[in-house]
Amino acid sequence: MAFIHTPNASASEKTTSMYASAEANYGYLPNMYRAFGHRPEVMESWAALLSSIRSHMSLRRYELVTLAAAKELKSSYCMLAHGSVLLREGFTSDGLTAVVNETDKAPIDAGERAIMAFAAKVARDATSVTQQDIDGLKKHGLSDADVFDVTAAAAARCFFSKMLDALGAAPDHAYIERLEPNVRKTLSVGREVERPLAPSPSRGTSQ
């Protein structure tokens, strides 16, 4: 699952609590939580930062910004996770695919296109951002505070996506079960989804 050994649930009280909470929420223990098993307090701080950023944005805007940044970072894990949220929030499979592929059929407006392009630029090379980029967002009705929020969401994604990929955390096998193959393929821009372990030969399988 990862390039480093990930501790089991009994490693520490905080790790035990983090794992238990994640399992209760997801129905399984996601690899991203295992990756933070040595430092559960970092995951706790990340969650608090994320909560403060999201509290000032609509869910739709936050997810589109995150998707754009994750695509630029080639993070399959974050693409699959946040693409799944957009599907739950009303996007069709075709609509989400169009958004990821940046086609004219994408069900987003001009302002959202501009926001996603800006988020991608922040993730790709923040030093390339200019006053013109900011002014372009303002033409779509964003305030200075809105620009801050979009920037914060894109910049924060750099931390999490890079942590997971650098530690070798593969996207959870649950995405194989929960997403259509074509959607999963579109969202898998980097590491492949973790495959379920094959049944042990000693246990056998029913024929």
Side-chain angles (χ1 to χ4, degrees), residues 1 28 30-32 75-81 164-165 168-176 184 187-195:
M1 187 288 297
Y28 66 95
N31 290 335
M32 60 182 177
S75 171
S76 294
Y77 208 142
C78 292
M79 287 286 285
L80 289 158
L164 296 182
D165 280 328
D172 306 316
H173 64 78
Y175 293 117
I176 294 177
R184 190 173 69 246
L187 295 173
S188 298
V189 296
R191 293 195 185 283
E192 295 184 0
V193 177
E194 179 184 62
R195 298 288 171 174

Side-chain angles (χ1 to χ4, degrees), residues 2 17 42 44 46 52 63 75 95 97 132 138 142 158 161 167 172 176 194:
S17 177
V42 176
E44 184 179 4
W46 160 251
S52 68
E63 294 298 337
S75 171
T97 298
Q132 185 176 2
K138 290 184 176 181
L142 275 70
C158 295
S161 292
L167 292 175
D172 306 316
I176 294 177
E194 179 184 62

Side-chain angles (χ1 to χ4, degrees), residues 18-31:
M18 179 179 72
Y19 283 2
S21 178
E23 286 193 62
N25 188 35
Y26 291 89
Y28 66 95
L29 180 58
N31 290 335

Side-chain angles (χ1 to χ4, degrees), residues 50-110:
L50 210 57
S51 178
S52 68
I53 293 172
R54 290 188 304 196
S55 67
H56 299 289
M57 308 172 70
S58 69
L59 178 60
R60 179 184 173 98
R61 176 175 289 182
Y62 171 77
E63 294 298 337
L64 289 174
V65 167
T66 300
L67 198 73
K71 179 184 176 183
E72 194 64 37
L73 295 164
K74 298 181 181 180
S75 171
S76 294
Y77 208 142
C78 292
M79 287 286 285
L80 289 158
H82 293 276
S84 296
V85 174
L86 287 170
L87 288 172
R88 292 198 299 270
E89 291 300 311
F91 276 73
T92 65
S93 296
D94 288 343
L96 179 60
T97 298
V99 169
V100 175
N101 292 332
E102 302 177 39
T103 72
D104 293 337
K105 295 182 179 180
I108 55 177
D109 60 32

